[in-house]
Amino acid sequence: MKEITTRLAEVNGIVSGYDGGAIPFEQAYALARFYYDFQDTNALIADAEAMVGENPEQLKEIALSLKAETTTLLNNIGRLDGIDFRGIANAHSRHYHAIFQKASDELNPYWKRYCELNHRLDYLPLGSKEYAEAEKECDAAKAEHDRRQTDVRRIYAEYEHENRRAGDVFSLKASHLYALATKLNGIAGSIINDLDRMEKGEGR
């Protein structure tokens, strides 16, 4: 449970620092991941129930922190209303796709060169000096192409990774964070009330 308060503090830092201008992708992604990582509040409730018997003092400390952090978020969440999360996601994805496309385009001449040299071998006498020299040049061209192709594949893998991250941001809305913060605030309040009753001997 302690992780959620740390992540909430990060979210509040982003939201409170937002001045209405452009928000960096990494900040938008942090907001999105907070939502997706903690939207299953049943897991949070299960953790709280386990902590009641093990360490109620720490549970109350976490619940108080969760209540305070979610209250802060709810007070500031309106600042996010104008953020175009889809636009941020699309721009991020396009940036990495452009890098891949450039690398892919630059690879084409190397493949073309290899094909030309390989085709030339068909017209040279097998075992001749000309064939041996052309074959050596062809092998070098193939090796250079393969080396560059490895880089292109790495760049494409990076694009795919960033595109998946962009997908998280694309689906996010400020209303999603508001709904989650409201729910978490209520859960924190219930935990605090239950622990207070237990301290007074009233049971849960």
Side-chain angles (χ1 to χ4, degrees):
M1 280 190 68
K2 196 169 184 180
E3 181 190 1
I4 191 171
T5 56
T6 301
R7 296 277 297 279
L8 254 174
E10 179 187 6
V11 167
N12 277 325
I14 293 170
V15 175
S16 63
Y18 179 63
D19 60 2
I23 184 172
F25 174 83
E26 292 301 333
Q27 289 189 354
Y29 181 72
L31 297 178
R33 283 317 318 169
F34 174 80
Y35 174 74
Y36 296 121
D37 289 346
F38 297 105
Q39 62 178 329
D40 180 12
T41 53
N42 289 331
L44 180 68
I45 293 171
D47 288 345
E49 290 176 345
M51 287 188 69
V52 168
E54 298 173 0
N55 196 336
E57 293 81 9
Q58 185 181 28
L59 176 60
K60 187 169 185 178
E61 180 182 336
I62 293 173
L64 288 168
S65 179
L66 181 60
K67 183 77 173 176
E69 292 289 353
T70 50
T71 297
T72 298
L73 181 56
L74 289 169
N75 288 338
N76 294 328
I77 198 74
R79 298 183 181 192
L80 304 182
D81 287 342
I83 294 181
D84 179 12
F85 287 105
R86 289 191 174 191
I88 294 169
N90 285 334
H92 187 76
S93 181
R94 283 195 299 268
H95 170 72
Y96 281 91
H97 184 267
I99 294 173
F100 160 68
Q101 191 63 59
K102 180 175 182 291
S104 182
D105 291 344
E106 290 175 348
L107 179 65
N108 290 335
Y110 291 91
W111 176 252
K112 183 179 179 182
R113 175 60 176 163
Y114 162 70
C115 290
E116 289 172 348
L117 292 170
N118 192 52
H119 182 67
R120 182 186 171 202
L121 290 175
D122 295 336
Y123 297 92
L124 295 174
L126 188 63
S128 67
K129 181 180 179 182
E130 292 83 357
Y131 186 95
E133 290 177 350
E135 185 178 40
K136 185 178 180 181
E137 190 177 1
C138 182
D139 289 344
K142 180 66 163 58
E144 179 64 16
H145 168 270
D146 290 351
R147 184 184 68 79
R148 291 176 179 272
Q149 187 179 54
T150 298
D151 288 340
V152 171
R153 287 173 176 164
R154 175 186 56 77
I155 292 169
Y156 182 74
E158 183 178 19
Y159 158 65
E160 282 194 318
H161 174 70
E162 293 301 331
N163 194 47
R164 286 192 294 271
R165 296 175 77 222
D168 288 343
V169 174
F170 184 89
S171 303
L172 184 66
K173 294 180 180 178
S175 58
H176 295 163
L177 285 170
Y178 179 84
L180 178 59
T182 300
K183 199 169 185 179
L184 292 173
N185 189 273
I187 291 171
S190 295
I191 292 172
I192 294 167
N193 290 336
D194 287 348
L195 290 172
D196 285 345
R197 285 198 297 270
M198 289 177 64
E199 288 175 2
K200 294 174 183 176
E202 299 176 13
R204 294 187 70 186

